[in-house]
Amino acid sequence: MRAYLPAYHLEPVRDLNEVLGRLSREPGRWKLFAGGTDLMVLLEAGKLSHRYFLNVWKLPELRGIEVAPESVTIGAATTYTELRNHDTLAREFPLLCQAAFETGAVATQNRGTVGGNIANASPAADSPPALLVYDAEIELVSARGARWRPFHGFYSGYKQMDLRSDELIRRIRLPRAQAGWRSYYRKVGTRRAQAISKVCFAGGAHLESGRIADVRLAFGSVAPTVLRAVQTERLLRGEKISPAVGRAASEKLTQEIAPIDDMRSTANYRRRVAQNLLREFIEMLSVQ
Ligand SMILES: Cc1cc2nc3c(=O)[nH]c(=O)nc-3n(C[C@H](O)[C@H](O)[C@H](O)COP(=O)(O)OP(=O)(O)OC[C@H]3O[C@@H](n4cnc5c(N)ncnc54)[C@H](O)[C@@H]3O)c2cc1C
């Protein structure tokens, strides 16, 4: 039983400039509060020392989904429900909508944001694998300016990321040239809803004349960070799908993931499930 909720201060803000000014003038004092679905759990569990939060939940500069000819740009404070209900995303980026659909349950989807999911940096987070398959870029802004960087490589270790103390994630950009790609998403957890992933997989591939011209594979819960399996991708590129290629890819995958035993699962189970999900994906590609 937990009944511990310490006093905390949630500060309203007028606009993005005010947030950036405060982050830059008072380094380390403020933490952003978007949906609060990660923060409140930590706070209630007594695992968060922070007490001062800037409420960015309704900031217009962090909200909205913009569709342009070359890309779709998603505000960091966009909720899972908004992702799920967006026509272009549903049509062109089904992995992201599937991840949103399988995150928590309705209450969490109404509050939780994609930017919060990225910044919380859990290796078990469900939307980052989809973002990796779509080659997402993220925009990081501070009072010093803005920079776009690839989402791939954003994490450098467990809960470590390329986000400076005065920066926030403003937007996520997905390139639209996905025509002809086939994709697959599967989250394996204890239940169909309200479950943290034991293993999560997102894959996308483009075939030409029966060969894998390009492929992207991303996993959650099998390493200290969400992982893009680049060595396995390299092995698959240019290959015709066959049982031997599937076996070689599965073997390579075990060399690049590093699952652990924890309260949700075991390293052995995760390794086996990751291999099975990769096999399912490759089998799906082999069906015309
Ligand atoms: C019941 C329940 C079920 C859940 N199920 C799942 C699940 O199935 N899959 C899953 O992946 N997650 C799940 N979560 C975790 C959580 O809902 C997600 O990680 C969510 O996306 C967090 O978003 P938020 O807006 O609530 O983040 P917050 O709690 O507001 O913030 C999380 C962290 O991100 C930082 N942050 C927020 N926005 C930004 C920004 N724009 N720039 C920089 N930093 C920022 C905050 O300072 C904080 O450190 C669950 C949580 C709960 C409570």
Side-chain angles (χ1 to χ4, degrees), residues 117-118 121-133 151-159 200 202 217-229:
N117 201 223
I118 294 172
S122 164
D126 291 319
S127 46
L131 297 176
L132 286 173
V133 167
F151 181 50
H152 183 206
F154 180 61
Y155 302 118
S156 52
Y158 178 69
K159 298 262 179 185
C200 172
L217 308 168
F219 290 86
S221 285
V222 296
T225 69
V226 170
L227 178 93
R228 178 130 168 234

Side-chain angles (χ1 to χ4, degrees), residues 121-182:
S122 164
D126 291 319
S127 46
L131 297 176
L132 286 173
V133 167
Y134 291 133
D135 238 357
E137 294 174 297
I138 54 180
E139 186 188 30
L140 307 173
V141 293
S142 70
R144 291 170 290 114
R147 61 185 175 117
W148 283 96
R149 61 149 295 146
F151 181 50
H152 183 206
F154 180 61
Y155 302 118
S156 52
Y158 178 69
K159 298 262 179 185
Q160 302 295 310
M161 66 200 120
D162 177 21
L163 183 70
R164 297 164 195 156
S165 61
D166 62 345
E167 282 181 324
L168 59 81
I169 303 165
R170 181 174 177 202
R171 295 183 291 178
I172 298 114
R173 187 163 64 198
L174 306 175
R176 285 184 82 183
Q178 305 292 332
W181 279 68
R182 297 171 68 184

Side-chain angles (χ1 to χ4, degrees), residues 181 201-208 210-219 229-253 256 274-275 277-283 285-286:
W181 279 68
F201 170 73
H206 180 53
L207 271 68
E208 279 171 16
R211 288 185 190 277
I212 300 174
D214 202 0
V215 61
R216 292 185 210 125
L217 308 168
F219 290 86
V230 286
Q231 294 173 33
T232 310
E233 291 175 4
R234 207 171 297 131
L235 182 144
L236 285 170
R237 263 186 215 110
E239 295 292 336
K240 255 198 156 84
I241 296 164
S242 70
V245 165
R247 282 194 296 278
S250 178
E251 185 55 36
K252 179 58 81 182
L253 181 66
E256 65 178 327
Q275 289 179 299
L277 296 180
L278 177 62
R279 201 193 60 230
E280 277 182 14
F281 173 59
I282 293 174
E283 280 173 8
L285 293 177
S286 68

Side-chain angles (χ1 to χ4, degrees), residues 80 84 95-106 109 192-193:
Y80 295 109
R84 283 184 58 183
L95 302 180
L96 185 59
C97 293
Q98 183 72 23
F101 177 71
E102 299 209 25
T103 294
V106 172
Q109 292 170 15
R192 291 304 307 274

Side-chain angles (χ1 to χ4, degrees), residues 65-67 71-74 88-89 93 172-174 176:
I65 301 172
E66 278 174 34
V67 179
S71 61
V72 176
T73 305
I74 302 167
T88 306
L89 291 180
F93 301 96
I172 298 114
R173 187 163 64 198
L174 306 175
R176 285 184 82 183

Side-chain angles (χ1 to χ4, degrees), residues 32 34-39 80 103-104 108 113 117 119 125-126 169 187 194:
L32 301 189
T37 59
D38 277 315
L39 287 174
Y80 295 109
T103 294
T108 307
T113 67
N117 201 223
D126 291 319
I169 303 165
K187 166 176 174 169
Q194 294 289 39

